[in-house]
PDB file of all heavy atoms in Angstrom:
ATOM      1  N   PHE A 767       6.236  -7.517  -4.682  1.00 98.00           N
ATOM      2  CA  PHE A 767       6.023  -6.675  -3.472  1.00 98.00           C
ATOM      3  C   PHE A 767       5.833  -5.162  -3.864  1.00 98.00           C
ATOM      4  O   PHE A 767       4.896  -4.476  -3.397  1.00 98.00           O
ATOM      5  CB  PHE A 767       7.211  -6.784  -2.515  1.00 98.00           C
ATOM      6  CG  PHE A 767       7.094  -5.888  -1.298  1.00 98.00           C
ATOM      7  CD1 PHE A 767       6.362  -6.264  -0.230  1.00 98.00           C
ATOM      8  CD2 PHE A 767       7.698  -4.628  -1.325  1.00 98.00           C
ATOM      9  CE1 PHE A 767       6.217  -5.477   0.958  1.00 98.00           C
ATOM     10  CE2 PHE A 767       7.601  -3.764  -0.231  1.00 98.00           C
ATOM     11  CZ  PHE A 767       6.906  -4.229   0.884  1.00 98.00           C
ATOM     12  N   LYS A 768       6.686  -4.608  -4.753  1.00 98.00           N
ATOM     13  CA  LYS A 768       6.631  -3.145  -5.070  1.00 98.00           C
ATOM     14  C   LYS A 768       5.316  -2.908  -5.798  1.00 98.00           C
ATOM     15  O   LYS A 768       4.667  -1.883  -5.529  1.00 98.00           O
ATOM     16  CB  LYS A 768       7.773  -2.804  -6.034  1.00 98.00           C
ATOM     17  CG  LYS A 768       8.984  -2.162  -5.283  1.00 98.00           C
ATOM     18  CD  LYS A 768       9.926  -1.578  -6.220  1.00 98.00           C
ATOM     19  CE  LYS A 768      11.016  -0.762  -5.431  1.00 98.00           C
ATOM     20  NZ  LYS A 768      11.966  -0.072  -6.377  1.00 98.00           N
ATOM     21  N   ALA A 769       4.945  -3.746  -6.708  1.00 98.00           N
ATOM     22  CA  ALA A 769       3.686  -3.538  -7.456  1.00 98.00           C
ATOM     23  C   ALA A 769       2.493  -3.528  -6.417  1.00 98.00           C
ATOM     24  O   ALA A 769       1.568  -2.687  -6.672  1.00 98.00           O
ATOM     25  CB  ALA A 769       3.488  -4.510  -8.495  1.00 98.00           C
ATOM     26  N   THR A 770       2.441  -4.404  -5.492  1.00 98.00           N
ATOM     27  CA  THR A 770       1.443  -4.430  -4.500  1.00 98.00           C
ATOM     28  C   THR A 770       1.295  -3.150  -3.698  1.00 98.00           C
ATOM     29  O   THR A 770       0.250  -2.564  -3.553  1.00 98.00           O
ATOM     30  CB  THR A 770       1.668  -5.615  -3.477  1.00 98.00           C
ATOM     31  OG1 THR A 770       1.707  -6.851  -4.120  1.00 98.00           O
ATOM     32  CG2 THR A 770       0.594  -5.662  -2.400  1.00 98.00           C
ATOM     33  N   VAL A 771       2.446  -2.664  -3.204  1.00 98.00           N
ATOM     34  CA  VAL A 771       2.416  -1.449  -2.420  1.00 98.00           C
ATOM     35  C   VAL A 771       2.151  -0.257  -3.303  1.00 98.00           C
ATOM     36  O   VAL A 771       1.300   0.622  -2.935  1.00 98.00           O
ATOM     37  CB  VAL A 771       3.811  -1.325  -1.712  1.00 98.00           C
ATOM     38  CG1 VAL A 771       3.976   0.080  -1.030  1.00 98.00           C
ATOM     39  CG2 VAL A 771       4.002  -2.371  -0.622  1.00 98.00           C
ATOM     40  N   GLU A 772       2.740  -0.187  -4.382  1.00 98.00           N
ATOM     41  CA  GLU A 772       2.535   1.052  -5.216  1.00 98.00           C
ATOM     42  C   GLU A 772       1.044   1.110  -5.739  1.00 98.00           C
ATOM     43  O   GLU A 772       0.477   2.168  -5.760  1.00 98.00           O
ATOM     44  CB  GLU A 772       3.393   0.993  -6.465  1.00 98.00           C
ATOM     45  CG  GLU A 772       4.857   1.387  -6.132  1.00 98.00           C
ATOM     46  CD  GLU A 772       5.827   1.310  -7.372  1.00 98.00           C
ATOM     47  OE1 GLU A 772       5.427   0.755  -8.356  1.00 98.00           O
ATOM     48  OE2 GLU A 772       6.982   1.811  -7.125  1.00 98.00           O
ATOM     49  N   SER A 773       0.421  -0.119  -6.064  1.00 98.00           N
ATOM     50  CA  SER A 773      -0.952  -0.022  -6.574  1.00 98.00           C
ATOM     51  C   SER A 773      -1.927   0.486  -5.493  1.00 98.00           C
ATOM     52  O   SER A 773      -2.864   1.142  -5.825  1.00 98.00           O
ATOM     53  CB  SER A 773      -1.279  -1.393  -7.137  1.00 98.00           C
ATOM     54  OG  SER A 773      -1.358  -2.375  -6.060  1.00 98.00           O
ATOM     55  N   VAL A 774      -1.689   0.037  -4.295  1.00 98.00           N
ATOM     56  CA  VAL A 774      -2.579   0.475  -3.239  1.00 98.00           C
ATOM     57  C   VAL A 774      -2.413   1.950  -2.835  1.00 98.00           C
ATOM     58  O   VAL A 774      -3.369   2.681  -2.548  1.00 98.00           O
ATOM     59  CB  VAL A 774      -2.486  -0.495  -1.960  1.00 98.00           C
ATOM     60  CG1 VAL A 774      -1.300  -0.057  -1.122  1.00 98.00           C
ATOM     61  CG2 VAL A 774      -3.711  -0.492  -1.096  1.00 98.00           C
ATOM     62  N   ILE A 775      -1.181   2.469  -2.957  1.00 98.00           N
ATOM     63  CA  ILE A 775      -0.905   3.883  -2.736  1.00 98.00           C
ATOM     64  C   ILE A 775      -1.571   4.716  -3.833  1.00 98.00           C
ATOM     65  O   ILE A 775      -2.257   5.791  -3.471  1.00 98.00           O
ATOM     66  CB  ILE A 775       0.567   4.174  -2.785  1.00 98.00           C
ATOM     67  CG1 ILE A 775       1.192   3.596  -1.481  1.00 98.00           C
ATOM     68  CG2 ILE A 775       0.829   5.668  -2.829  1.00 98.00           C
ATOM     69  CD1 ILE A 775       2.660   3.598  -1.437  1.00 98.00           C
ATOM     70  N   PHE A 776      -1.642   4.269  -5.062  1.00 98.00           N
ATOM     71  CA  PHE A 776      -2.211   5.036  -6.142  1.00 98.00           C
ATOM     72  C   PHE A 776      -3.733   5.053  -6.076  1.00 98.00           C
ATOM     73  O   PHE A 776      -4.394   5.545  -7.039  1.00 98.00           O
ATOM     74  CB  PHE A 776      -1.693   4.587  -7.530  1.00 98.00           C
ATOM     75  CG  PHE A 776      -0.349   5.309  -7.776  1.00 98.00           C
ATOM     76  CD1 PHE A 776       0.808   4.513  -7.677  1.00 98.00           C
ATOM     77  CD2 PHE A 776      -0.290   6.580  -8.160  1.00 98.00           C
ATOM     78  CE1 PHE A 776       2.066   5.057  -7.924  1.00 98.00           C
ATOM     79  CE2 PHE A 776       0.953   7.138  -8.438  1.00 98.00           C
ATOM     80  CZ  PHE A 776       2.088   6.493  -8.369  1.00 98.00           C
ATOM     81  N   THR A 777      -4.375   4.311  -5.151  1.00 98.00           N
ATOM     82  CA  THR A 777      -5.900   4.402  -5.012  1.00 98.00           C
ATOM     83  C   THR A 777      -6.212   5.636  -4.176  1.00 98.00           C
ATOM     84  O   THR A 777      -7.413   6.008  -4.140  1.00 98.00           O
ATOM     85  CB  THR A 777      -6.430   3.140  -4.285  1.00 98.00           C
ATOM     86  OG1 THR A 777      -5.837   3.035  -2.951  1.00 98.00           O
ATOM     87  CG2 THR A 777      -6.151   1.895  -5.062  1.00 98.00           C
ATOM     88  N   GLY A 778      -5.240   6.265  -3.485  1.00 97.00           N
ATOM     89  CA  GLY A 778      -5.544   7.494  -2.760  1.00 97.00           C
ATOM     90  C   GLY A 778      -6.130   7.251  -1.428  1.00 97.00           C
ATOM     91  O   GLY A 778      -6.488   6.160  -1.073  1.00 97.00           O
ATOM     92  N   GLY A 779      -6.231   8.383  -0.620  1.00 96.00           N
ATOM     93  CA  GLY A 779      -6.855   8.310   0.655  1.00 96.00           C
ATOM     94  C   GLY A 779      -5.908   7.910   1.773  1.00 96.00           C
ATOM     95  O   GLY A 779      -4.809   8.556   1.902  1.00 96.00           O
ATOM     96  N   ASP A 780      -6.195   6.887   2.569  1.00 97.00           N
ATOM     97  CA  ASP A 780      -5.379   6.482   3.729  1.00 97.00           C
ATOM     98  C   ASP A 780      -4.228   5.643   3.287  1.00 97.00           C
ATOM     99  O   ASP A 780      -4.091   4.431   3.642  1.00 97.00           O
ATOM    100  CB  ASP A 780      -6.211   5.781   4.744  1.00 97.00           C
ATOM    101  CG  ASP A 780      -5.632   5.692   6.127  1.00 97.00           C
ATOM    102  OD1 ASP A 780      -4.447   6.174   6.276  1.00 97.00           O
ATOM    103  OD2 ASP A 780      -6.214   5.115   7.051  1.00 97.00           O
ATOM    104  N   THR A 781      -3.384   6.207   2.524  1.00 98.00           N
ATOM    105  CA  THR A 781      -2.364   5.528   1.727  1.00 98.00           C
ATOM    106  C   THR A 781      -1.391   4.806   2.679  1.00 98.00           C
ATOM    107  O   THR A 781      -0.862   3.709   2.291  1.00 98.00           O
ATOM    108  CB  THR A 781      -1.632   6.426   0.793  1.00 98.00           C
ATOM    109  OG1 THR A 781      -1.086   7.517   1.561  1.00 98.00           O
ATOM    110  CG2 THR A 781      -2.468   6.914  -0.311  1.00 98.00           C
ATOM    111  N   ASP A 782      -0.981   5.404   3.787  1.00 97.00           N
ATOM    112  CA  ASP A 782       0.007   4.799   4.563  1.00 97.00           C
ATOM    113  C   ASP A 782      -0.418   3.483   5.339  1.00 97.00           C
ATOM    114  O   ASP A 782       0.237   2.459   5.320  1.00 97.00           O
ATOM    115  CB  ASP A 782       0.653   5.694   5.652  1.00 97.00           C
ATOM    116  CG  ASP A 782      -0.337   6.316   6.592  1.00 97.00           C
ATOM    117  OD1 ASP A 782      -1.553   6.401   6.174  1.00 97.00           O
ATOM    118  OD2 ASP A 782       0.046   6.670   7.637  1.00 97.00           O
ATOM    119  N   THR A 783      -1.717   3.607   5.803  1.00 98.00           N
ATOM    120  CA  THR A 783      -2.224   2.396   6.474  1.00 98.00           C
ATOM    121  C   THR A 783      -2.502   1.271   5.439  1.00 98.00           C
ATOM    122  O   THR A 783      -2.269   0.110   5.702  1.00 98.00           O
ATOM    123  CB  THR A 783      -3.503   2.755   7.235  1.00 98.00           C
ATOM    124  OG1 THR A 783      -3.152   3.728   8.277  1.00 98.00           O
ATOM    125  CG2 THR A 783      -4.104   1.541   7.882  1.00 98.00           C
ATOM    126  N   HIS A 784      -3.042   1.610   4.355  1.00 98.00           N
ATOM    127  CA  HIS A 784      -3.492   0.598   3.379  1.00 98.00           C
ATOM    128  C   HIS A 784      -2.163  -0.041   2.790  1.00 98.00           C
ATOM    129  O   HIS A 784      -2.114  -1.290   2.649  1.00 98.00           O
ATOM    130  CB  HIS A 784      -4.288   1.267   2.238  1.00 98.00           C
ATOM    131  CG  HIS A 784      -5.588   1.775   2.638  1.00 98.00           C
ATOM    132  ND1 HIS A 784      -6.208   2.787   2.008  1.00 98.00           N
ATOM    133  CD2 HIS A 784      -6.344   1.435   3.712  1.00 98.00           C
ATOM    134  CE1 HIS A 784      -7.330   3.063   2.659  1.00 98.00           C
ATOM    135  NE2 HIS A 784      -7.460   2.251   3.675  1.00 98.00           N
ATOM    136  N   ALA A 785      -1.162   0.780   2.613  1.00 98.00           N
ATOM    137  CA  ALA A 785       0.193   0.201   2.153  1.00 98.00           C
ATOM    138  C   ALA A 785       0.838  -0.565   3.206  1.00 98.00           C
ATOM    139  O   ALA A 785       1.501  -1.604   2.858  1.00 98.00           O
ATOM    140  CB  ALA A 785       1.092   1.334   1.614  1.00 98.00           C
ATOM    141  N   PHE A 786       0.616  -0.216   4.481  1.00 98.00           N
ATOM    142  CA  PHE A 786       1.182  -0.942   5.546  1.00 98.00           C
ATOM    143  C   PHE A 786       0.483  -2.345   5.552  1.00 98.00           C
ATOM    144  O   PHE A 786       1.221  -3.419   5.707  1.00 98.00           O
ATOM    145  CB  PHE A 786       0.972  -0.286   6.903  1.00 98.00           C
ATOM    146  CG  PHE A 786       1.391  -1.139   8.046  1.00 98.00           C
ATOM    147  CD1 PHE A 786       2.652  -1.165   8.517  1.00 98.00           C
ATOM    148  CD2 PHE A 786       0.344  -1.954   8.746  1.00 98.00           C
ATOM    149  CE1 PHE A 786       3.024  -2.001   9.583  1.00 98.00           C
ATOM    150  CE2 PHE A 786       0.768  -2.726   9.848  1.00 98.00           C
ATOM    151  CZ  PHE A 786       2.057  -2.784  10.273  1.00 98.00           C
ATOM    152  N   ILE A 787      -0.775  -2.451   5.520  1.00 98.00           N
ATOM    153  CA  ILE A 787      -1.440  -3.764   5.589  1.00 98.00           C
ATOM    154  C   ILE A 787      -1.057  -4.617   4.406  1.00 98.00           C
ATOM    155  O   ILE A 787      -0.728  -5.811   4.563  1.00 98.00           O
ATOM    156  CB  ILE A 787      -3.004  -3.497   5.643  1.00 98.00           C
ATOM    157  CG1 ILE A 787      -3.402  -2.690   6.821  1.00 98.00           C
ATOM    158  CG2 ILE A 787      -3.752  -4.814   5.661  1.00 98.00           C
ATOM    159  CD1 ILE A 787      -4.832  -2.181   6.738  1.00 98.00           C
ATOM    160  N   ALA A 788      -1.164  -4.021   3.204  1.00 98.00           N
ATOM    161  CA  ALA A 788      -0.799  -4.893   1.981  1.00 98.00           C
ATOM    162  C   ALA A 788       0.617  -5.241   1.997  1.00 98.00           C
ATOM    163  O   ALA A 788       0.975  -6.395   1.611  1.00 98.00           O
ATOM    164  CB  ALA A 788      -1.165  -4.006   0.726  1.00 98.00           C
ATOM    165  N   GLY A 789       1.508  -4.324   2.410  1.00 98.00           N
ATOM    166  CA  GLY A 789       2.972  -4.572   2.475  1.00 98.00           C
ATOM    167  C   GLY A 789       3.268  -5.685   3.473  1.00 98.00           C
ATOM    168  O   GLY A 789       4.226  -6.463   3.227  1.00 98.00           O
ATOM    169  N   SER A 790       2.585  -5.692   4.528  1.00 98.00           N
ATOM    170  CA  SER A 790       2.791  -6.710   5.615  1.00 98.00           C
ATOM    171  C   SER A 790       2.591  -8.097   5.062  1.00 98.00           C
ATOM    172  O   SER A 790       3.392  -8.999   5.236  1.00 98.00           O
ATOM    173  CB  SER A 790       1.895  -6.459   6.826  1.00 98.00           C
ATOM    174  OG  SER A 790       2.167  -5.232   7.477  1.00 98.00           O
ATOM    175  N   ILE A 791       1.475  -8.282   4.376  1.00 98.00           N
ATOM    176  CA  ILE A 791       1.044  -9.585   3.803  1.00 98.00           C
ATOM    177  C   ILE A 791       1.915  -9.973   2.637  1.00 98.00           C
ATOM    178  O   ILE A 791       2.464 -11.071   2.546  1.00 98.00           O
ATOM    179  CB  ILE A 791      -0.411  -9.597   3.436  1.00 98.00           C
ATOM    180  CG1 ILE A 791      -1.339  -9.235   4.599  1.00 98.00           C
ATOM    181  CG2 ILE A 791      -0.791 -11.010   2.872  1.00 98.00           C
ATOM    182  CD1 ILE A 791      -2.791  -9.005   4.231  1.00 98.00           C
TER     183      ILE A 791
END
């Protein structure tokens, strides 16, 4: 889980929404 969320945050941009979607799944 942590790697999923952290990796998407480090892509930059709309980090909260992308981390929300990835974190949900």
Side-chain angles (χ1 to χ4, degrees):
F767 178 85
K768 263 195 174 182
T770 299
V771 170
E772 289 179 345
S773 67
V774 81
I775 290 172
F776 278 104
T777 62
D780 196 359
T781 52
D782 61 331
T783 299
H784 298 152
F786 173 84
I787 301 166
S790 295
I791 303 171

